[in-house]
Amino acid sequence: DTAVSQTPKYLVTQMGNDKSIKCEQNLGHDTMYWYKQDSKKFLKIMFSYNNKELIINETVPNRFSPKSPDKAHLNLHINSLELGDSAVYFCASSHPLAETGQTGELFFGEGSRLTVL
Amino acid sequence: GIQVEQSPPDLILQEGANSTLRCNFSDSVNNLQWFHQNPWGQLINLFYIPSGTKQNGRLSATTVATERYSLLYISSSQTTDSGVYFCAVETYSGAGSYQLTFGKGTKLSVIP
């Protein structure tokens, strides 16, 4: 059974379009994340949600809007796509440590490769 | 923000050889994780290791938090070990939340 699943795995679209990526986890984790991996393989956090509440919102254009309908799902909607948005977007989840609130082991989805033409 | 440096950036090994990958970080951290990204792009959690040594098969990791580094050992390497190895350190980002900062990775190629 897939623990963290994302759809679609590949997305090719034109500049200016709006697109969404969906993520679901069946690990029972409280916290979910979106990471962006650029062409040089650098991984950077974009957002994190804990129990549907936004916790981390890094410096990301407001064309990117995450939505968490419940703690098992975290979707990413991108408006007015630009060439620089081309990247692999990874969803991840973890169960924060009860005593400290630290992240806990992080589990990634398979990634969604977005290409903007 | 915290700086995370991994070395070497690239490594080519003959199958069967051993190797050590290093992760240095510029400040105190709450935790550290190692990940392997295989050639198909999947990111797999290898170790969750704030301090001490852990072993999992041919892989082991050691973190010396007081000296701000972690090492990942790969013994008897196999072609399936190829990919990029990332170290990620966890720091407190305020308002009760923590976040991971990733290094740029070590790209390992194991040749038969």
Side-chain angles (χ1 to χ4, degrees):
Chain A
D1 283 344
T2 305
V4 183
S5 59
Q6 301 177 221
T7 54
K9 290 190 171 32
Y10 299 95
L11 197 49
V12 180
T13 189
Q14 300 286 333
M15 263 196 318
N17 284 350
D18 303 338
K19 289 293 177 189
S20 292
I21 307 171
K22 295 185 176 183
C23 179
E24 175 181 4
Q25 55 96 4
N26 63 6
L27 295 167
H29 288 165
D30 292 329
T31 307
M32 296 183 73
Y33 312 80
W34 279 109
Y35 281 84
K36 180 180 180 180
Q37 186 172 45
D38 63 22
S39 57
K40 295 184 179 176
K41 299 281 193 184
F42 186 59
L43 273 159
K44 191 168 179 355
I45 191 166
M46 300 173 69
F47 303 102
S48 81
Y49 270 75
N50 184 279
N51 272 322
K52 304 191 295 176
E53 181 185 345
L54 180 65
I55 302 297
I56 293 174
N57 182 356
E58 287 296 296
T59 308
V60 173
N62 56 16
R63 297 181 295 103
F64 290 79
S65 51
K67 279 201 171 64
S68 181
D70 56 61
K71 76 173 193 177
H73 295 84
L74 180 62
N75 304 324
L76 183 65
H77 188 75
I78 317 170
N79 290 328
S80 304
L81 279 156
E82 300 178 357
L83 293 177
D85 298 332
S86 295
V88 181
Y89 293 85
F90 284 96
C91 176
S93 74
S94 74
H95 192 73
L97 303 179
E99 311 84 35
T100 60
Q102 292 174 21
T103 302
E105 285 186 73
L106 196 64
F107 293 85
F108 282 94
E110 293 185 340
S112 297
R113 181 176 293 276
L114 171 65
T115 303
V116 183
L117 304 174
Chain B
I2 193 166
Q3 304 299 312
V4 183
E5 292 186 7
Q6 292 186 241
S7 59
D10 294 277
L11 186 57
I12 300 175
L13 290 179
Q14 201 77 39
E15 199 169 24
N18 303 328
S19 65
T20 301
L21 282 53
R22 188 175 181 103
C23 173
N24 290 336
F25 38 97
S26 61
D27 206 345
S28 301
V29 299
N30 298 100
N31 218 322
L32 186 144
Q33 300 188 45
W34 283 97
F35 296 88
H36 174 222
Q37 186 167 34
N38 65 25
W40 295 271
Q42 289 178 302
L43 274 159
I44 308 296
N45 191 308
L46 297 176
F47 292 103
Y48 181 82
I49 185 165
S51 63
T53 297
K54 288 187 178 179
Q55 179 139 14
N56 184 1
R58 296 179 297 101
L59 271 57
S60 66
T62 295
T63 296
V64 184
T66 51
E67 296 185 24
R68 300 183 185 167
Y69 73 90
S70 183
L71 302 173
L72 179 69
Y73 305 94
I74 305 174
S75 64
S76 305
S77 57
Q78 300 176 359
T79 55
T80 51
D81 296 330
S82 296
V84 182
Y85 289 81
F86 291 101
C87 144
V89 300
E90 180 167 17
T91 53
Y92 183 64
S93 54
S97 69
Y98 294 81
Q99 72 177 61
L100 290 178
T101 302
F102 281 76
K104 293 185 178 179
T106 291
K107 184 177 178 183
L108 175 64
S109 301
V110 181
I111 53 178

